[in-house]
Amino acid sequence: SAIGLAFDGDSDRLIAVDENGDIVDGDKVMYIICKHLSQKGELAKNTIVTTVMSNLGLYKALDREGIGYEKTAVGDKYVYENMSKTGNCLGGEQSGHIIMLDHATTGDGQLTAAMLIKVMTETGKSLAQLCEGIEDYPQLLVNVKITESGKGKWNKVPAIMDCISAAEKELGGSGRVLVRESGTEPLVRVMVEGKDMDMVKRLADSIAEEVKRSLT
């Protein structure tokens, strides 16, 4: 079965493409590998480590499979930190940075690719078939430039917090809101996920507008 493999410059990340030309990102790669290992009884603690940016679709799929998950801050160093403390052996990011602690202490795109092909070989399934059961929820990230004086304040502004609460209420259990400040630039990042892209965009824009109004 056909598979496309793409690596970044230093080859610690992998993004795959299935036989239909659909992108298989880090969330789907983790799902495929952890589901296979879990079924063989080889997934340490039957748990994987993700970051808060992983797609809601991954968590829904893991819940259905009875596989546990931890969520860390964004960054492979936080994933590794969690794994070294907890004894979990598989984790990574949506960006395709996957760590398999049984084999290496850092992300290795070639290793991830080899593991993905191994799952295809052992199951006899194509990449598209292995992705069945994980649904991508529309996810939108809006970056809002703020002033230096606005740094560290987004979660102390009632109008912003009210706007976030209203969005969460509207999404219910079928979506989520994640707001965080960049560690390197004067930016507030607003991420909204839900079933419907129009709703996701409307809610992300409303929060972004409130951030802009309050902190610029």
Side-chain angles (χ1 to χ4, degrees), residues 40-135:
K40 287 167 49 171
E42 293 174 9
L43 181 62
K45 303 198 161 193
N46 209 41
T47 298
I48 67 167
V49 183
T50 68
T51 77
V52 289
M53 284 304 285
S54 273
N55 195 280
L56 186 60
L58 172 63
Y59 298 121
K60 299 258 185 198
L62 292 172
D63 285 341
R64 205 183 49 250
E65 294 293 333
I67 296 170
Y69 46 83
E70 306 246 351
K71 291 184 189 180
T72 75
V74 176
D76 56 283
K77 68 174 184 178
Y78 298 112
V79 172
Y80 174 71
E81 206 174 79
N82 177 290
M83 292 165 94
S84 56
K85 277 182 193 158
T86 58
N88 294 318
C89 281
L90 176 67
E93 299 192 278
Q94 192 183 52
S95 63
H97 196 129
I98 314 290
I99 300 172
M100 288 176 274
L101 216 49
D102 287 342
H103 304 285
T105 55
T106 185
D108 180 334
Q110 267 89 18
L111 177 63
T112 307
M115 186 60 89
L116 201 51
I117 292 165
K118 185 172 186 261
V119 177
M120 288 170 70
T121 307
E122 289 185 3
T123 58
K125 289 182 177 177
S126 73
L127 198 51
Q129 287 172 324
L130 289 170
C131 286
E132 283 168 11
I134 178 167
E135 180 191 348

